[in-house]
Amino acid sequence: MQYPIYLDYNATTPCLPEVIEAMLPYFETHFGNAASKSHPYGWVAENAVEEARENVANLIGAKSKEIIFTSGATEAINLGIKGTFDAYLGEKQHYITCKTEHKAVLDTFAELQKRGADLTYLEVNSKGEISLDELEKAILPHTKLICLIWANNETGIIHPVEKIAELAEKRNVIFFTDAVQAAGKIPVFTKGIHLMAISAHKLYGPKGVGALFVRHNHDLPKPLAQIHGGGHEKGMRSGTLNVPGIVGFGAAAQLRMNQMEQEGSRLGTLRDKLEKGILEISGTFLNGSQEIRLPHVTNIAFGGVEGEELLRRVNQKVAVSSGSACTSISPKPSHVLQAMGINSDLGRASIRFSLGKGTTEKDIEDAISWVKKVVEDLRKN
């Protein structure tokens, strides 16, 4: 099979060779269960897990004891949100989130609404930005948690996390951020943040492993376990640990710390070149802000073409998506773009381009040429 140029790094990233090399011994030679405390097989596995926990913690500026390993970011999000709801069970509960959150967040809150929680969904402007004034006005006496994404997975727009954290601290409300697209791409921090979800496969680690950061030095309730049986991960997430996956997560986190700044600069230059080239096509425009966003992401709308056919044709030579991989099976226009006021037709005819370690200048030049050809052909027919 002739694979197309890959420009869908927000959907997933390849495991780096160094990550795979770090993982391999834990499939066979060091195959022990990290919970086996009575013999060397378990001790070696446990030590490897704790080393990885330290590396993941270092990536986000946390303490290793604040990292809870999960099967991925979706589980981390469910644990953080549902676990908080359960911690406040019996009380009147109000939560604040945003219409442009990832579906893992929105669907989890929809479930909490069925259980009696009150929800406020913040609006965004045409660039995808929230209003801090509106956020503060939305906080009620019974608000338990604010949940806002760090960097949007479709547009790359970055929320003012530091100011949100300060506001949450001032109002004594838990602040949970989905940092899946931010961690390993831009510097992140934990000051003022109570809960944070991250994922290995978005930063050149393996699929099937993620983490929930749970801040320790505060008096607000911490999430209650959603999976029971064995009391693993400090009782917050039971289940035999995925030792090879966790080792890979740790290795990837360590590599990102060393490479993130230089790689971000390189990708920002390539992204800008791609964006400039595609926006030369008449009837195209950028979805979102050109200023405060991830360095490797651009989301572009194409007027005058049918969205499904545009995506099908572009993907013949350039692998891209119209939004989150978790919602790509749906024919509906992106909920993120709709919230930004973009109409359904343009929303369907919008493409997210996300670059990564394997992206070259030639890839960008070839992608520009191909997209221009596709759009020209579609507009002729």
Side-chain angles (χ1 to χ4, degrees), residues 5-7 274 318 358-368:
I5 297 165
Y6 189 73
L7 295 181
L274 173 71
V318 183
T359 307
T360 66
E361 191 156 6
K362 186 176 187 306
D363 288 338
I364 297 303
E365 291 167 356
D366 290 348
I368 293 169

Side-chain angles (χ1 to χ4, degrees), residues 38 47 51 79 107 113 124 138 153 238 267 301 307 338 353 358 367 374:
S38 58
N47 287 340
E51 183 180 342
L79 172 57
D107 288 355
Q113 280 188 291
V124 295
N153 51 296
S238 291
L267 293 179
Q338 282 188 309
F353 300 86
V374 167

Side-chain angles (χ1 to χ4, degrees), residues 111-126:
E111 177 60 27
L112 288 198
Q113 280 188 291
K114 294 176 186 176
R115 301 184 191 182
D118 296 328
L119 262 292
T120 295
Y121 294 92
L122 297 175
E123 303 281 350
V124 295
N125 63 18
S126 61

Side-chain angles (χ1 to χ4, degrees), residues 77-78 81-82 85 95-99 101-121 145 147 335:
I77 287 165
N78 275 261
I81 296 173
K82 291 179 182 173
F85 180 84
Y95 293 80
I96 300 170
T97 189
C98 181
K99 289 185 174 181
E101 293 292 306
H102 191 278
K103 278 293 185 181
V105 166
L106 296 177
D107 288 355
T108 302
F109 277 123
E111 177 60 27
L112 288 198
Q113 280 188 291
K114 294 176 186 176
R115 301 184 191 182
D118 296 328
L119 262 292
T120 295
Y121 294 92
L145 179 144
C147 180
H335 71 281

